[in-house]
Amino acid sequence: MMKKELTEEEKRVIVYKGTERPFTGKYYDFKEKGTYLCKQCGAPLYYSEAKFDSGCGWPSFDEEISGAVKRVPDVDGRRTEIICAKCGGHLGHVFIGEGFTPKNTRHCVNSISMDFLPENGKDTETAIFAGGCFWGVEHLMRQQPGILSIEAGYIGGNTEHPTYKEVCSKTTGHAEAVRIMFDPSKVSYTTLAKLFFEIHDPTQTDGQGPDLGDQYRSEIFYTTDRQKEIAEELIRELKGKGYKVVTRVTSATDFWKAEDYHQDYYNKTGKEPYCHRYTPRF
């Protein structure tokens, strides 16, 4: 793991667990879309959609990227400190039960602990795939080199902050999906899209194996025009081979992260996917 050389002020906060003065950080009143990274090691920490204005004087987020942040008891014996899960750099503190957002969580983070990468910046790209139960898609995609983060969630529906129970009721229109942040210098979108078509059945309508319902549909949610072109090219190629592909190609809308127990499900449980397996198609 490479660590960036820090200035003395950055060391005071990140290494020695200091705090910057409120309302002075560069990301406090900052509204661009993108990803917040750890200043010390560059690991992705928060998506901009999780950021909100709590009025506290520091950047506030109501959820982290899955697995990116660790919570540890603060030395003051009262608060909970948050640190980068990759390098241990101090970020700030987390507070529960304040009611600012439906997630009822506030990560209070020092701006100086973070860098910012604009949406689809040159160093990363985001891909979103729906192909049945998100447990299996996440598990098999996670093994691909070049993936920086991956999380299960819901997309393509008509309500905000949907719960798993609501999605399973088949009334919200959401699909179970995975959102992947990847390094395009290490893995291409074409490679990920091909893998997507080879780990689920793109010919089954509204379901995968025994999982039936529109939340289990096959759909690619593109985040760039080039992704749309690649997805459509691959579908034409598969149809040319005789596959009756039903996969939809749709512009990405709001992605809602699923509940914590859905994240990295198979690694946490030690089980194996029951309706996803690798089948060469290209």
Side-chain angles (χ1 to χ4, degrees):
M1 178 180 60
M2 297 294 293
K3 290 187 178 181
K4 178 181 176 182
E5 185 173 347
L6 303 175
T7 66
E8 289 304 312
E9 179 61 12
E10 289 168 347
K11 286 181 182 178
R12 184 184 71 82
V13 175
I14 298 170
V15 178
Y16 302 113
K17 304 183 185 298
T19 302
E20 64 190 6
R21 289 186 296 112
F23 304 102
T24 64
K26 65 185 294 185
Y27 299 127
Y28 169 65
D29 187 21
F30 186 81
K31 298 179 175 62
E32 289 189 28
K33 291 184 177 181
T35 305
Y36 292 84
L37 313 175
C38 174
K39 174 67 69 67
Q40 182 167 239
C41 72
L45 299 173
Y46 303 97
Y47 291 119
S48 57
E49 65 198 50
K51 191 171 186 289
F52 67 97
D53 183 7
S54 66
C56 70
W58 292 274
S60 298
F61 304 87
D62 63 4
E63 68 175 357
E64 70 274 30
I65 292 174
S66 182
V69 175
K70 285 185 178 179
R71 303 183 184 191
V72 296
D74 191 89
V75 293
D76 66 12
R78 297 179 293 105
R79 296 177 298 173
T80 299
E81 181 190 1
I82 47 176
I83 62 175
C84 172
K86 185 175 181 180
C87 71
H90 175 72
L91 303 174
H93 294 86
V94 63
F95 302 92
I96 308 298
E98 297 175 324
F100 285 110
T101 77
K103 295 184 177 67
N104 215 19
T105 299
R106 175 171 63 96
H107 288 242
C108 183
V109 186
N110 293 288
S111 290
I112 203 170
S113 295
M114 301 184 293
D115 280 325
F116 182 76
L117 184 68
E119 190 171 61
N120 291 323
K122 64 179 181 179
D123 296 328
T124 68
E125 193 172 335
T126 300
I128 303 175
F129 300 111
C133 176
F134 43 27
W135 295 345
V137 180
E138 180 197 48
H139 181 70
L140 295 173
M141 282 285 188
R142 185 182 292 277
Q143 301 171 33
Q144 178 66 47
I147 288 181
L148 301 175
S149 69
I150 181 169
E151 52 192 4
Y154 315 111
I155 190 172
N158 50 38
T159 62
E160 296 187 347
H161 304 287
T163 65
Y164 182 63
K165 182 178 181 180
E166 290 169 341
V167 171
C168 288
S169 73
K170 300 177 174 56
T171 60
T172 71
H174 289 90
E176 291 191 17
V178 297
R179 176 171 59 182
I180 301 168
M181 181 189 294
F182 65 97
D183 182 346
S185 71
K186 295 181 179 178
V187 62
S188 68
Y189 181 79
T190 299
T191 296
L192 294 179
K194 283 184 175 181
L195 180 59
F196 166 71
F197 282 116
E198 294 180 324
I199 62 174
H200 86 296
D201 181 1
T203 69
Q204 184 176 352
T205 301
D206 289 345
Q208 281 297 298
D211 291 333
L212 303 177
D214 66 345
Q215 77 267 33
Y216 300 118
R217 63 186 182 268
S218 176
E219 190 162 2
I220 291 176
F221 294 87
Y222 60 87
T223 62
T224 69
D225 289 340
R226 180 57 183 155
Q227 287 186 4
K228 178 183 179 183
E229 293 171 2
I230 291 170
E232 291 175 342
E233 288 170 4
L234 293 178
I235 289 173
R236 285 193 293 271
E237 183 176 346
L238 288 172
K239 287 183 175 179
K241 294 182 177 186
Y243 293 100
K244 297 180 180 179
V245 178
V246 297
T247 306
R248 306 176 194 175
V249 179
T250 308
S251 179
T253 53
D254 289 333
F255 181 93
W256 307 99
K257 183 180 173 184
E259 296 82 348
D260 286 345
Y261 70 90
H262 288 302
Q263 308 301 327
D264 202 15
Y265 178 82
Y266 283 118
N267 279 344
K268 288 190 293 190
T269 62
K271 299 178 181 179
E272 291 293 328
Y274 62 89
C275 59
H276 292 86
R277 60 184 59 84
Y278 180 74
T279 303
R281 292 192 171 95
F282 293 96

